[in-house]
Amino acid sequence: MGNLLKVLTRDIENYPHFFLDFENAQPTGAERDVWDQVDSVLQESESILSGLQSYKGAGQEIRDAIQNPSDLMHQERAWNSVCPLVIKLKTFYCFSLRLEKALYSLLTCLTCPPYTPTQHLEKEQALAKQFAEILHFTLRFDELKMRIPAIQNDFSYYRRTISRNRINNMNLDIENEVNNEMANRMSLFYAEATPMLKTLSNATTNFVTVNKTLPLENTTDCLSTMASVCKVMLETPEYSSRFSSEDTLLFCMRVMVGVIILYDHVHPNGAFNKLSKIDMKGCIKVLKEQPIDNVEGLLNALKFTTKHLNDESTPKNIRAMLQ
């Protein structure tokens, strides 16, 4: 493929190495149907991030209402402030469900026989790029969410108020938008430190469970190959210099971390042990060579959202690199 450049000589020959054109890959005719389906979801990702970034919360109004329980004006002001925020939180949650379906479609394409993960990435670069874009969005969303404690405070106040008013037999219009079942699911979603990543991890695990005839290696090799691709593009100047924007380097870092986390959740032995197909030492080294402001959140994601980092099988030097 014109957009896929093999790296012929590397120190670690048993890891796959490619240049994936994250900036310019376009769908072929065979990719078009799935690409269009996933693209319709990804087109909304920037507006979701903008909505989350502008989330201010109703902290002051809630505090005033709690401190003045008999003052109807404060109660109404808090309630009227929280309700639009809950609708916004529902929008984010519903988007995560659409993202989950999009990921499932991409995994189906990128892991199906008779091709290997390497062959799929060679043939279907535009789908690989979309897979990367989902991971990039996911880590950006979760980085933002972790900085907004108001989300859980607002939602907790909403649920308490709903329960209290239900006891008082009040008819609340918002329950047409966010009924009890939806509120329960949203509560579980926002209780996670990294809710979008948790959604993708669950979706990937579910994909493996449902597709019993598909070898697990088809999925884990797809993830480990993507990690290797990103690592090599980041550490090889002749390839990283091909990017027209520095933002693509950060994109590569986020994607690399995202696929490592998914691999660690799906593979029985995880990403950190000596038999892992991901060069974890190399991946962490690449991150640590970047400005700390660009990678602090990514290193924290590897520390706190992976499953097997603290297993006895994780080499001490790998664990030490993430301390």
Side-chain angles (χ1 to χ4, degrees), residues 12 15-16 220-221 223-228 231 256-257 259-264 270-284 318:
I12 307 173
Y15 293 105
T220 55
D221 285 358
L223 300 174
S224 61
T225 301
M226 285 284 284
S228 295
K231 180 180 79 74
M256 181 178 75
V257 169
V259 287
I260 288 170
I261 293 167
L262 290 187
Y263 182 100
D264 194 57
F272 296 96
N273 71 86
K274 290 178 181 177
L275 298 177
S276 168
K277 290 189 177 180
I278 297 177
D279 173 17
M280 285 305 306
K281 184 177 178 182
C283 290
I284 297 168
I318 300 292

mmCIF file of all heavy atoms in Angstrom, residues 12 15-16 220-221 223-228 231 256-257 259-264 270-284 318:
data_model
loop_
_atom_site.group_PDB
_atom_site.id
_atom_site.type_symbol
_atom_site.label_atom_id
_atom_site.label_comp_id
_atom_site.label_asym_id
_atom_site.label_seq_id
_atom_site.Cartn_x
_atom_site.Cartn_y
_atom_site.Cartn_z
ATOM 1 N N ILE A 12 14.070 -4.431 17.508
ATOM 2 C CA ILE A 12 13.226 -5.534 17.969
ATOM 3 C C ILE A 12 12.475 -6.077 16.764
ATOM 4 O O ILE A 12 11.456 -5.552 16.347
ATOM 5 C CB ILE A 12 12.224 -5.062 19.045
ATOM 6 C CG1 ILE A 12 12.979 -4.347 20.157
ATOM 7 C CG2 ILE A 12 11.437 -6.234 19.607
ATOM 8 C CD1 ILE A 12 12.068 -3.698 21.170
ATOM 9 N N TYR A 15 8.496 -7.380 16.659
ATOM 10 C CA TYR A 15 7.335 -6.486 16.769
ATOM 11 C C TYR A 15 7.030 -5.902 15.397
ATOM 12 O O TYR A 15 7.938 -5.523 14.669
ATOM 13 C CB TYR A 15 7.609 -5.345 17.756
ATOM 14 C CG TYR A 15 7.750 -5.796 19.181
ATOM 15 C CD1 TYR A 15 8.993 -5.851 19.796
ATOM 16 C CD2 TYR A 15 6.631 -6.182 19.917
ATOM 17 C CE1 TYR A 15 9.120 -6.279 21.110
ATOM 18 C CE2 TYR A 15 6.758 -6.608 21.229
ATOM 19 C CZ TYR A 15 8.005 -6.650 21.810
ATOM 20 O OH TYR A 15 8.125 -7.072 23.107
ATOM 21 N N PRO A 16 5.745 -5.841 15.017
ATOM 22 C CA PRO A 16 5.398 -5.269 13.712
ATOM 23 C C PRO A 16 5.655 -3.765 13.680
ATOM 24 O O PRO A 16 5.468 -3.079 14.665
ATOM 25 C CB PRO A 16 3.908 -5.573 13.572
ATOM 26 C CG PRO A 16 3.413 -5.764 14.962
ATOM 27 C CD PRO A 16 4.564 -6.259 15.779
ATOM 28 N N THR A 220 -6.412 -9.429 20.218
ATOM 29 C CA THR A 220 -5.250 -8.915 20.961
ATOM 30 C C THR A 220 -4.103 -8.548 20.018
ATOM 31 O O THR A 220 -3.398 -7.567 20.260
ATOM 32 C CB THR A 220 -4.776 -9.923 22.021
ATOM 33 O OG1 THR A 220 -4.514 -11.182 21.397
ATOM 34 C CG2 THR A 220 -5.820 -10.105 23.101
ATOM 35 N N ASP A 221 -3.939 -9.306 18.916
ATOM 36 C CA ASP A 221 -2.879 -8.964 17.959
ATOM 37 C C ASP A 221 -3.196 -7.661 17.223
ATOM 38 O O ASP A 221 -2.283 -6.891 16.899
ATOM 39 C CB ASP A 221 -2.681 -10.084 16.941
ATOM 40 C CG ASP A 221 -1.947 -11.289 17.534
ATOM 41 O OD1 ASP A 221 -1.561 -11.223 18.719
ATOM 42 O OD2 ASP A 221 -1.783 -12.285 16.812
ATOM 43 N N LEU A 223 -4.701 -5.137 18.610
ATOM 44 C CA LEU A 223 -4.369 -4.084 19.576
ATOM 45 C C LEU A 223 -2.856 -3.924 19.737
ATOM 46 O O LEU A 223 -2.341 -2.799 19.746
ATOM 47 C CB LEU A 223 -5.014 -4.411 20.932
ATOM 48 C CG LEU A 223 -6.545 -4.522 20.941
ATOM 49 C CD1 LEU A 223 -7.037 -4.992 22.309
ATOM 50 C CD2 LEU A 223 -7.197 -3.200 20.568
ATOM 51 N N SER A 224 -2.138 -5.050 19.850
ATOM 52 C CA SER A 224 -0.681 -4.966 20.046
ATOM 53 C C SER A 224 -0.003 -4.406 18.798
ATOM 54 O O SER A 224 0.984 -3.672 18.893
ATOM 55 C CB SER A 224 -0.097 -6.333 20.409
ATOM 56 O OG SER A 224 -0.306 -7.281 19.391
ATOM 57 N N THR A 225 -0.538 -4.731 17.620
ATOM 58 C CA THR A 225 0.024 -4.192 16.381
ATOM 59 C C THR A 225 -0.143 -2.681 16.329
ATOM 60 O O THR A 225 0.784 -1.945 15.992
ATOM 61 C CB THR A 225 -0.654 -4.843 15.149
ATOM 62 O OG1 THR A 225 -0.455 -6.255 15.199
ATOM 63 C CG2 THR A 225 -0.076 -4.300 13.855
ATOM 64 N N MET A 226 -1.335 -2.197 16.714
ATOM 65 C CA MET A 226 -1.562 -0.748 16.746
ATOM 66 C C MET A 226 -0.606 -0.062 17.716
ATOM 67 O O MET A 226 -0.071 1.016 17.428
ATOM 68 C CB MET A 226 -3.006 -0.455 17.160
ATOM 69 C CG MET A 226 -4.033 -0.726 16.084
ATOM 70 S SD MET A 226 -4.056 0.540 14.805
ATOM 71 C CE MET A 226 -4.915 1.867 15.639
ATOM 72 N N ALA A 227 -0.373 -0.685 18.877
ATOM 73 C CA ALA A 227 0.558 -0.102 19.852
ATOM 74 C C ALA A 227 1.957 -0.006 19.266
ATOM 75 O O ALA A 227 2.644 1.016 19.419
ATOM 76 C CB ALA A 227 0.558 -0.939 21.136
ATOM 77 N N SER A 228 2.396 -1.076 18.586
ATOM 78 C CA SER A 228 3.734 -1.083 17.988
ATOM 79 C C SER A 228 3.863 -0.041 16.887
ATOM 80 O O SER A 228 4.876 0.645 16.773
ATOM 81 C CB SER A 228 4.053 -2.470 17.419
ATOM 82 O OG SER A 228 4.118 -3.431 18.439
ATOM 83 N N LYS A 231 4.213 3.361 18.540
ATOM 84 C CA LYS A 231 5.516 3.514 19.204
ATOM 85 C C LYS A 231 6.606 3.815 18.190
ATOM 86 O O LYS A 231 7.415 4.738 18.369
ATOM 87 C CB LYS A 231 5.872 2.240 19.989
ATOM 88 C CG LYS A 231 7.220 2.329 20.716
ATOM 89 C CD LYS A 231 7.540 1.058 21.465
ATOM 90 C CE LYS A 231 8.067 -0.029 20.586
ATOM 91 N NZ LYS A 231 9.485 0.213 20.143
ATOM 92 N N MET A 256 -1.716 4.993 21.323
ATOM 93 C CA MET A 256 -0.845 3.948 21.851
ATOM 94 C C MET A 256 -1.274 3.549 23.268
ATOM 95 O O MET A 256 -1.410 2.356 23.582
ATOM 96 C CB MET A 256 0.611 4.433 21.857
ATOM 97 C CG MET A 256 1.614 3.405 22.375
ATOM 98 S SD MET A 256 3.315 4.017 22.305
ATOM 99 C CE MET A 256 3.321 5.159 23.693
ATOM 100 N N VAL A 257 -1.523 4.539 24.108
ATOM 101 C CA VAL A 257 -1.952 4.259 25.480
ATOM 102 C C VAL A 257 -3.328 3.582 25.479
ATOM 103 O O VAL A 257 -3.564 2.625 26.233
ATOM 104 C CB VAL A 257 -1.962 5.554 26.321
ATOM 105 C CG1 VAL A 257 -2.666 5.340 27.661
ATOM 106 C CG2 VAL A 257 -0.534 6.039 26.544
ATOM 107 N N VAL A 259 -4.762 1.625 23.185
ATOM 108 C CA VAL A 259 -4.741 0.210 22.790
ATOM 109 C C VAL A 259 -4.022 -0.643 23.834
ATOM 110 O O VAL A 259 -4.377 -1.812 24.028
ATOM 111 C CB VAL A 259 -4.136 -0.021 21.386
ATOM 112 C CG1 VAL A 259 -5.083 0.437 20.307
ATOM 113 C CG2 VAL A 259 -2.786 0.618 21.218
ATOM 114 N N ILE A 260 -3.032 -0.073 24.522
ATOM 115 C CA ILE A 260 -2.380 -0.816 25.610
ATOM 116 C C ILE A 260 -3.402 -1.153 26.697
ATOM 117 O O ILE A 260 -3.465 -2.294 27.190
ATOM 118 C CB ILE A 260 -1.209 -0.002 26.207
ATOM 119 C CG1 ILE A 260 -0.028 0.033 25.232
ATOM 120 C CG2 ILE A 260 -0.754 -0.611 27.552
ATOM 121 C CD1 ILE A 260 1.066 1.014 25.634
ATOM 122 N N ILE A 261 -4.216 -0.170 27.074
ATOM 123 C CA ILE A 261 -5.200 -0.390 28.137
ATOM 124 C C ILE A 261 -6.232 -1.435 27.705
ATOM 125 O O ILE A 261 -6.574 -2.344 28.468
ATOM 126 C CB ILE A 261 -5.882 0.937 28.531
ATOM 127 C CG1 ILE A 261 -4.856 1.869 29.194
ATOM 128 C CG2 ILE A 261 -7.048 0.687 29.487
ATOM 129 C CD1 ILE A 261 -5.321 3.310 29.350
ATOM 130 N N LEU A 262 -6.710 -1.334 26.458
ATOM 131 C CA LEU A 262 -7.665 -2.329 25.965
ATOM 132 C C LEU A 262 -7.030 -3.722 25.960
ATOM 133 O O LEU A 262 -7.655 -4.698 26.382
ATOM 134 C CB LEU A 262 -8.142 -1.967 24.561
ATOM 135 C CG LEU A 262 -9.053 -0.752 24.420
ATOM 136 C CD1 LEU A 262 -9.564 -0.636 22.987
ATOM 137 C CD2 LEU A 262 -10.236 -0.813 25.373
ATOM 138 N N TYR A 263 -5.809 -3.810 25.477
ATOM 139 C CA TYR A 263 -5.095 -5.097 25.449
ATOM 140 C C TYR A 263 -4.977 -5.671 26.861
ATOM 141 O O TYR A 263 -5.208 -6.856 27.099
ATOM 142 C CB TYR A 263 -3.701 -4.895 24.839
ATOM 143 C CG TYR A 263 -2.858 -6.149 24.699
ATOM 144 C CD1 TYR A 263 -2.764 -6.798 23.466
ATOM 145 C CD2 TYR A 263 -2.122 -6.660 25.770
ATOM 146 C CE1 TYR A 263 -1.970 -7.938 23.314
ATOM 147 C CE2 TYR A 263 -1.334 -7.796 25.625
ATOM 148 C CZ TYR A 263 -1.260 -8.432 24.396
ATOM 149 O OH TYR A 263 -0.480 -9.558 24.257
ATOM 150 N N ASP A 264 -4.632 -4.807 27.810
ATOM 151 C CA ASP A 264 -4.441 -5.252 29.191
ATOM 152 C C ASP A 264 -5.739 -5.785 29.800
ATOM 153 O O ASP A 264 -5.716 -6.676 30.644
ATOM 154 C CB ASP A 264 -3.899 -4.098 30.040
ATOM 155 C CG ASP A 264 -3.366 -4.566 31.385
ATOM 156 O OD1 ASP A 264 -2.468 -5.421 31.399
ATOM 157 O OD2 ASP A 264 -3.868 -4.083 32.419
ATOM 158 N N GLY A 270 -2.554 -9.895 30.350
ATOM 159 C CA GLY A 270 -2.322 -8.457 30.345
ATOM 160 C C GLY A 270 -1.182 -8.015 29.454
ATOM 161 O O GLY A 270 -0.573 -8.806 28.727
ATOM 162 N N ALA A 271 -0.875 -6.713 29.543
ATOM 163 C CA ALA A 271 0.107 -6.089 28.653
ATOM 164 C C ALA A 271 1.506 -6.009 29.241
ATOM 165 O O ALA A 271 2.467 -5.730 28.519
ATOM 166 C CB ALA A 271 -0.369 -4.670 28.303
ATOM 167 N N PHE A 272 1.641 -6.243 30.545
ATOM 168 C CA PHE A 272 2.900 -5.900 31.208
ATOM 169 C C PHE A 272 3.865 -7.066 31.391
ATOM 170 O O PHE A 272 5.037 -6.844 31.672
ATOM 171 C CB PHE A 272 2.602 -5.262 32.582
ATOM 172 C CG PHE A 272 1.864 -3.964 32.492
ATOM 173 C CD1 PHE A 272 0.481 -3.920 32.612
ATOM 174 C CD2 PHE A 272 2.532 -2.778 32.278
ATOM 175 C CE1 PHE A 272 -0.219 -2.728 32.520
ATOM 176 C CE2 PHE A 272 1.856 -1.565 32.184
ATOM 177 C CZ PHE A 272 0.476 -1.539 32.303
ATOM 178 N N ASN A 273 3.393 -8.296 31.275
ATOM 179 C CA ASN A 273 4.292 -9.425 31.552
ATOM 180 C C ASN A 273 5.281 -9.642 30.406
ATOM 181 O O ASN A 273 5.134 -9.096 29.309
ATOM 182 C CB ASN A 273 3.483 -10.699 31.830
ATOM 183 C CG ASN A 273 2.826 -11.233 30.575
ATOM 184 O OD1 ASN A 273 3.421 -11.979 29.811
ATOM 185 N ND2 ASN A 273 1.580 -10.834 30.340
ATOM 186 N N LYS A 274 6.290 -10.469 30.659
ATOM 187 C CA LYS A 274 7.393 -10.638 29.704
ATOM 188 C C LYS A 274 6.955 -11.234 28.375
ATOM 189 O O LYS A 274 7.616 -11.044 27.351
ATOM 190 C CB LYS A 274 8.485 -11.512 30.336
ATOM 191 C CG LYS A 274 9.246 -10.824 31.456
ATOM 192 C CD LYS A 274 10.270 -11.745 32.079
ATOM 193 C CE LYS A 274 11.002 -11.029 33.217
ATOM 194 N NZ LYS A 274 11.965 -11.922 33.917
ATOM 195 N N LEU A 275 5.854 -11.980 28.383
ATOM 196 C CA LEU A 275 5.390 -12.627 27.148
ATOM 197 C C LEU A 275 4.444 -11.740 26.333
ATOM 198 O O LEU A 275 3.997 -12.136 25.263
ATOM 199 C CB LEU A 275 4.685 -13.950 27.477
ATOM 200 C CG LEU A 275 5.548 -15.013 28.167
ATOM 201 C CD1 LEU A 275 4.715 -16.248 28.494
ATOM 202 C CD2 LEU A 275 6.741 -15.392 27.283
ATOM 203 N N SER A 276 4.161 -10.559 26.830
ATOM 204 C CA SER A 276 3.256 -9.641 26.128
ATOM 205 C C SER A 276 3.814 -9.293 24.755
ATOM 206 O O SER A 276 5.030 -9.159 24.570
ATOM 207 C CB SER A 276 3.085 -8.356 26.952
ATOM 208 O OG SER A 276 2.461 -7.348 26.191
ATOM 209 N N LYS A 277 2.916 -9.141 23.791
ATOM 210 C CA LYS A 277 3.341 -8.752 22.445
ATOM 211 C C LYS A 277 3.525 -7.240 22.319
ATOM 212 O O LYS A 277 3.810 -6.739 21.233
ATOM 213 C CB LYS A 277 2.328 -9.253 21.411
ATOM 214 C CG LYS A 277 2.341 -10.761 21.254
ATOM 215 C CD LYS A 277 1.496 -11.201 20.075
ATOM 216 C CE LYS A 277 1.584 -12.713 19.902
ATOM 217 N NZ LYS A 277 0.761 -13.171 18.746
ATOM 218 N N ILE A 278 3.338 -6.528 23.417
ATOM 219 C CA ILE A 278 3.570 -5.078 23.422
ATOM 220 C C ILE A 278 4.881 -4.795 24.144
ATOM 221 O O ILE A 278 5.108 -5.288 25.254
ATOM 222 C CB ILE A 278 2.413 -4.330 24.111
ATOM 223 C CG1 ILE A 278 1.103 -4.531 23.327
ATOM 224 C CG2 ILE A 278 2.725 -2.837 24.217
ATOM 225 C CD1 ILE A 278 -0.116 -3.877 23.966
ATOM 226 N N ASP A 279 5.737 -4.020 23.509
ATOM 227 C CA ASP A 279 7.010 -3.617 24.119
ATOM 228 C C ASP A 279 6.724 -2.492 25.120
ATOM 229 O O ASP A 279 6.857 -1.314 24.805
ATOM 230 C CB ASP A 279 7.970 -3.158 23.016
ATOM 231 C CG ASP A 279 9.263 -2.560 23.570
ATOM 232 O OD1 ASP A 279 9.567 -2.790 24.758
ATOM 233 O OD2 ASP A 279 9.949 -1.844 22.807
ATOM 234 N N MET A 280 6.311 -2.895 26.332
ATOM 235 C CA MET A 280 5.892 -1.890 27.316
ATOM 236 C C MET A 280 7.026 -0.972 27.724
ATOM 237 O O MET A 280 6.830 0.233 27.889
ATOM 238 C CB MET A 280 5.302 -2.586 28.551
ATOM 239 C CG MET A 280 3.909 -3.135 28.345
ATOM 240 S SD MET A 280 2.713 -1.904 27.758
ATOM 241 C CE MET A 280 2.871 -0.620 28.980
ATOM 242 N N LYS A 281 8.219 -1.517 27.870
ATOM 243 C CA LYS A 281 9.363 -0.676 28.247
ATOM 244 C C LYS A 281 9.575 0.407 27.188
ATOM 245 O O LYS A 281 9.765 1.583 27.511
ATOM 246 C CB LYS A 281 10.611 -1.540 28.393
ATOM 247 C CG LYS A 281 11.832 -0.770 28.872
ATOM 248 C CD LYS A 281 13.026 -1.689 29.073
ATOM 249 C CE LYS A 281 14.257 -0.899 29.512
ATOM 250 N NZ LYS A 281 15.443 -1.777 29.667
ATOM 251 N N GLY A 282 9.515 0.009 25.913
ATOM 252 C CA GLY A 282 9.694 0.965 24.829
ATOM 253 C C GLY A 282 8.583 1.998 24.775
ATOM 254 O O GLY A 282 8.831 3.185 24.539
ATOM 255 N N CYS A 283 7.349 1.556 25.001
ATOM 256 C CA CYS A 283 6.213 2.483 24.961
ATOM 257 C C CYS A 283 6.297 3.525 26.072
ATOM 258 O O CYS A 283 6.057 4.719 25.843
ATOM 259 C CB CYS A 283 4.898 1.700 25.074
ATOM 260 S SG CYS A 283 4.486 0.700 23.627
ATOM 261 N N ILE A 284 6.620 3.067 27.278
ATOM 262 C CA ILE A 284 6.736 4.002 28.412
ATOM 263 C C ILE A 284 7.894 4.962 28.180
ATOM 264 O O ILE A 284 7.793 6.164 28.461
ATOM 265 C CB ILE A 284 6.895 3.236 29.742
ATOM 266 C CG1 ILE A 284 5.648 2.386 30.014
ATOM 267 C CG2 ILE A 284 7.116 4.219 30.899
ATOM 268 C CD1 ILE A 284 5.815 1.386 31.147
ATOM 269 N N ILE A 318 9.548 -2.368 34.872
ATOM 270 C CA ILE A 318 8.378 -1.745 34.216
ATOM 271 C C ILE A 318 7.551 -0.988 35.249
ATOM 272 O O ILE A 318 7.135 0.154 35.026
ATOM 273 C CB ILE A 318 7.503 -2.813 33.521
ATOM 274 C CG1 ILE A 318 8.295 -3.559 32.446
ATOM 275 C CG2 ILE A 318 6.239 -2.184 32.940
ATOM 276 C CD1 ILE A 318 8.666 -2.734 31.245
#
